[in-house]
Amino acid sequence: MRLLSLLVLGLAGPAISQEVSNCDWRAVPANIAEPWSENTRVFANGAVRVAALDTVEPALGFAYFLVISPPRDDLGIRQCQLVGGPTGMGFAGMDFDGLAATYDPAIGLNFEVIVQVYDPETDTTPRRLLSVTVNQATGGVAAQLWADNL
């Protein structure tokens, strides 16, 4: 909804594709941001779970968006994907409290969350809109970062 509002108002700049990778050491339960009850959400009758991860270091790239979703493998285990920042590391912050979710049958679940991205040229961490789409039918997970400051 927030993205739609930005587009209607003409405020959204070009989108930058974000890295979506298979889960690794960053996705261990110890890295779920505390308190867990405020930093995890469940959708699609429990089939999709998202969470804010905090790896502590690097200080300007500690935050990741975790997606656990269909399809399931032969053992019934869902896929696990991480969304990180544009430089191959995490984000400098994430407002998981403001997470918004919508569903479009043609596209899938869409999540929008405000993140902070470290900009080495200005040594700042501007706020950006991260949009993550999860297609349960295909297993596709895609992420885009909207370039305008919020």
Side-chain angles (χ1 to χ4, degrees):
M1 183 62 100
R2 193 176 299 152
L3 174 58
L4 180 58
S5 299
L6 289 172
L7 291 173
V8 168
L9 294 173
L11 299 176
I16 303 166
S17 292
Q18 294 303 283
E19 179 180 320
V20 177
S21 60
N22 290 326
C23 289
D24 55 22
W25 65 269
R26 298 169 290 183
V28 298
N31 286 340
I32 297 174
E34 293 285 352
W36 284 20
S37 60
E38 295 176 17
N39 289 294
T40 63
R41 305 265 169 68
V42 178
F43 299 88
N45 297 318
V48 176
R49 178 177 295 274
V50 297
L53 298 180
D54 180 351
T55 62
V56 181
E57 291 291 338
L60 293 172
F62 68 90
Y64 291 86
F65 189 82
L66 173 73
V67 177
I68 300 173
S69 67
R72 294 178 181 269
D73 66 14
D74 293 338
L75 297 175
I77 299 170
R78 295 172 288 180
Q79 70 175 348
C80 183
Q81 303 287 313
L82 284 175
V83 178
T87 60
M89 62 183 196
F91 301 103
M94 182 181 304
D95 179 15
F96 199 79
D97 287 342
L99 177 72
T102 57
Y103 176 70
D104 179 338
I107 300 168
L109 279 167
N110 185 65
F111 301 101
E112 293 179 349
V113 64
I114 302 297
V115 295
Q116 290 173 271
V117 178
Y118 177 63
D119 181 350
E121 292 181 18
T122 62
D123 198 31
T124 60
T125 56
R127 294 165 37 99
R128 305 278 193 246
L129 179 67
L130 175 67
S131 176
V132 179
T133 303
V134 178
N135 186 319
Q136 295 178 73
T138 66
V141 177
Q144 305 237 330
L145 190 65
W146 295 91
D148 283 342
N149 290 339
L150 299 176

